[in-house]
Amino acid sequence: MQTAVQKYFTRENIHIFGIIVLLVGMPLSRSFMTIGQFILLANWLYDKNILNKFKKAFSNKLVLSFLGIIIIHFIGLIYTENFDYAARDLRVKLPLLSLPLIFATTKPLSKDQWRLVFKVFGIAILAASFISTSILISKGMAGYHTVRGISFAVSHIRFALMINLVIFVFVYMAVFPEKNDRFFRYWAIPSVLWLSVFMALLRSLTGFVVLGVGLFGMSLYYTHLINHQVFRFIVYSIIIGLSLIVISFVVHSWARYNYRIVPKADELPAKTINGNKYKHHLNRTLYENSHFVYAYISEKELRKEWNKRSKFKYGGKDKIGHKIKHVLIRYLASKGYTKDSVGVSKLTDSDVQAIENGVANYLYAQKINLYANLYRIFWELERYEEGKNPSGHSIIQRIYYLEAGWNIFKANPIFGVGTGDVQDAFDQYYEETDSKLIHKRRLRAHNQFLTIMLTFGVVGFVVFMWALFYPAFYAGLRKKLNLPMLIYLVIVILSMLNEDTIETQAGALFFIFFYVFFLWGIKERPIPGRQTALQFFQESNN
C-alpha cells in the first residue's frame, strides 16, 4: 500500500517544489535560488533511468544548442590567463549546463500546474516590491543614486526584468484564463497596475524601455485579436494617439531642457544682501533646470549657513563620495535660488537630506517624475558631448564601456580574449587610453552581445546567437512557440542590448530557466491568432 510520503513525495511533485523554491528565490533570496537548483538537479539525477535521460538529452539538437554556450566557455580556457576569473565565470553559468538537461527530459507541467507555479513567482515579486517600498519609505532614500538600493536581493535591473515578465504573463493569463483562473483577474489586474507604478519607483532605464516596448507590442497584438472591425479600428486609433502623446512629451521635454536663462554680466549684482561679494563664473556652461549654475555664489555664506543645517560639512563629501559644495550649488541652481545665505534658508529639511544623499537636482529627489528621468538622460548626453568626466553618470559610462568593448573586440576578432581575461582586457585598455573613468567605474561592456564578441570572437558570437534564436525558431516551425516564451525572449533580447545579462548568477539563471521552462517545461497553446482567440472566448462563455 502506498504511504502518505510516497503519495506526495513523487518525482513530479519534487520537481515542481524545486521550481517554486527557485522562483521564490529569484527576487527574494540568492540562497533559495541555489537550493532550488540543487533540488531540481538531485531529483533529476536520482533516477534508475538516468543514463537514458542523458542519452535523450544529448540527442536533442536544441539541448546541444544551449550547451554550445558552455562549450565555448570551456574552449576559451585554452587561451585564457586569468583562471580565477574564469572559474568564477563558469560557476555563475553552471545553470546553462544543468537546466537544459533537466527540462528537456522531464515531463512538462500541465496548464494548471505551470500557471499555479507562475502565480507563486508573481506573489514573490509582489512581496519583494512591498519590501523594497518599505525600505524606501523607512530610510527616506532620495534620488537616483540611492533608490536602486531598495532592490535588496538582486540588482535593480534584474528585478526590473522579472517585474516586466510578471506584468506581461499575468496579462496573458488574464486574457486567456483556464478553469482554475476564475478569480485570478481580481488580483492580477491590481498587481499589474501596482508593479507598473513600482517600476517608476525603481528607476531602471532598462526596465522602462522593456515596459514601453512591451506595452506597445502587446497592445497591437491584443488589438489584432479583436474580431469586430470598427472596434478594432477604434482601439488602433487610441494606441496611435497615446503613442503620439508619448512622442510629444519627449519632444516637449527636450525643448524644456534646452531652454536657458542666460545671465548678462552687466546685470549681475556684485554683493549679497549681507554685503558679501558674489562670484559669477560666466565662462562655465553648466545649467540646471534652465538656471545657470555658477552665478550668484558666495562661498562664505554657503559654508556658514550649510554647516548650521547639516552634519555633512561644506568642505566634506556626501553619502556617495561627491563634494558637498558642488552638489549644494547645483541643487540651489535647480530651484532657481541664489547660492548664498538666502538660498540655503529656503531649503527644506527634505532638500537638505537629498543633498546629503548626493542629489544635485531637486527633480531627482521626486519619487515618480517621468520628466526627471528624461532630464537626467539629456543632461548626461550633454556632458558626454562636452567631453566631461563620465564617472558616476550611468548613461555616459555605458557609452565609454561600449567604445572600450568594441576596441577590445577589434584587437581580438576571431577568438576573443578568452573566458577569464575579460576584465583584465578592459583594465589594460583603460590604462593604455588614459581613461577619464575613475578606477571603480572601469567596468565591462554592459552589452551581452558585445561581451560575447570580445570574449570569444566572431566564432563564439555565432554559437551564442544560434543558442539564443534557434530553439525559438524551431518551436515556431513546429507551431509550439507559446506567447509567454515570446514575451520572455523580447524581454531578454532588449536587456542584452543594455546589460551583461548572463554574467551574474541572477541574470544567467533568469535567462536559461525561463527559456527552457517555456520551451520544454509547460504545456501551453501556441500563440493564438484571431480565429483561435475567438474560438477560445466562445468556449469560455459556454
Side-chain angles (χ1 to χ4, degrees), residues 402-429:
L402 289 172
E403 289 178 351
W406 180 250
N407 285 314
I408 293 170
F409 163 70
K410 288 196 297 183
N412 307 271
I414 306 302
F415 297 108
V417 300
T419 305
D421 294 349
V422 178
Q423 188 61 57
D424 292 343
F426 274 93
D427 292 341
Q428 181 180 347
Y429 175 83

Side-chain angles (χ1 to χ4, degrees), residues 230-487:
V230 175
F231 187 46
R232 187 167 67 246
F233 174 79
I234 292 173
V235 177
Y236 273 135
S237 300
I238 293 173
I239 293 173
I240 294 172
L242 291 174
S243 300
L244 292 175
I245 290 174
V246 172
I247 294 172
S248 175
F249 176 75
V250 174
V251 173
H252 174 74
S253 298
W254 174 246
R256 177 182 171 186
Y257 172 82
N258 281 289
Y259 175 69
R260 298 284 190 264
I261 303 174
V262 182
K264 298 180 180 179
D266 57 347
E267 297 179 0
L268 294 174
K271 294 183 178 181
T272 71
I273 61 172
N274 297 315
N276 294 305
K277 288 185 177 181
Y278 270 133
K279 288 184 178 179
H280 307 292
H281 303 285
L282 299 184
N283 60 320
R284 309 288 289 272
T285 59
L286 186 62
Y287 286 79
E288 292 288 354
N289 297 344
S290 302
H291 300 288
F292 186 71
V293 172
Y294 293 103
Y296 300 96
I297 298 175
S298 172
E299 290 211 51
K300 180 180 179 180
E301 293 187 12
L302 285 176
R303 184 185 305 276
K304 180 181 178 180
E305 297 303 319
W306 174 258
N307 288 342
K308 291 179 182 179
R309 300 288 303 271
S310 173
K311 63 181 180 180
F312 291 83
K313 299 304 180 183
Y314 181 79
K317 296 183 178 181
D318 59 33
K319 291 181 180 179
I320 58 175
H322 294 157
K323 290 183 178 180
I324 279 286
K325 70 175 185 178
H326 294 319
V327 178
L328 173 60
I329 289 172
R330 285 181 56 194
Y331 194 95
L332 289 168
S334 76
K335 304 204 81 169
Y337 298 163
T338 52
K339 297 82 177 178
D340 54 19
S341 60
V342 175
V344 176
S345 69
K346 292 180 179 180
L347 296 175
T348 66
D349 290 342
S350 296
D351 290 329
V352 171
Q353 184 184 20
I355 294 167
E356 292 172 343
N357 284 328
V359 180
N361 188 310
Y362 81 91
L363 291 175
Y364 301 158
Q366 298 176 2
K367 298 297 185 294
I368 300 178
N369 188 323
L370 295 179
Y371 174 67
N373 290 292
L374 288 174
Y375 181 95
R376 180 180 170 276
I377 294 172
F378 299 152
W379 190 91
E380 290 196 18
L381 291 175
E382 186 176 13
R383 300 284 78 71
Y384 175 74
E385 290 180 356
E386 294 175 354
K388 303 297 184 182
N389 191 328
S391 299
H393 304 300
S394 178
I395 295 172
I396 307 179
Q397 286 178 168
R398 276 171 161 75
I399 297 174
Y400 276 78
Y401 299 155
L402 289 172
E403 289 178 351
W406 180 250
N407 285 314
I408 293 170
F409 163 70
K410 288 196 297 183
N412 307 271
I414 306 302
F415 297 108
V417 300
T419 305
D421 294 349
V422 178
Q423 188 61 57
D424 292 343
F426 274 93
D427 292 341
Q428 181 180 347
Y429 175 83
Y430 291 134
E431 289 296 328
E432 291 177 350
T433 58
D434 193 23
S435 175
K436 296 178 181 179
L437 289 163
I438 61 176
H439 284 280
K440 70 176 183 179
R441 301 290 185 181
R442 295 182 175 185
L443 305 179
R444 303 183 351 169
H446 280 61
N447 179 297
Q448 188 61 65
F449 301 110
L450 182 55
T451 295
I452 291 294
M453 290 170 65
L454 67 91
T455 307
F456 307 112
V458 174
V459 175
F461 180 70
V462 171
V463 173
F464 178 77
M465 295 298 283
W466 181 264
L468 181 61
F469 290 104
Y470 177 67
F473 178 73
Y474 183 84
L477 289 178
R478 296 295 184 92
K479 296 185 178 180
K480 293 183 179 181
L481 180 64
N482 54 67
L483 192 56
M485 183 170 147
L486 182 60
I487 291 170

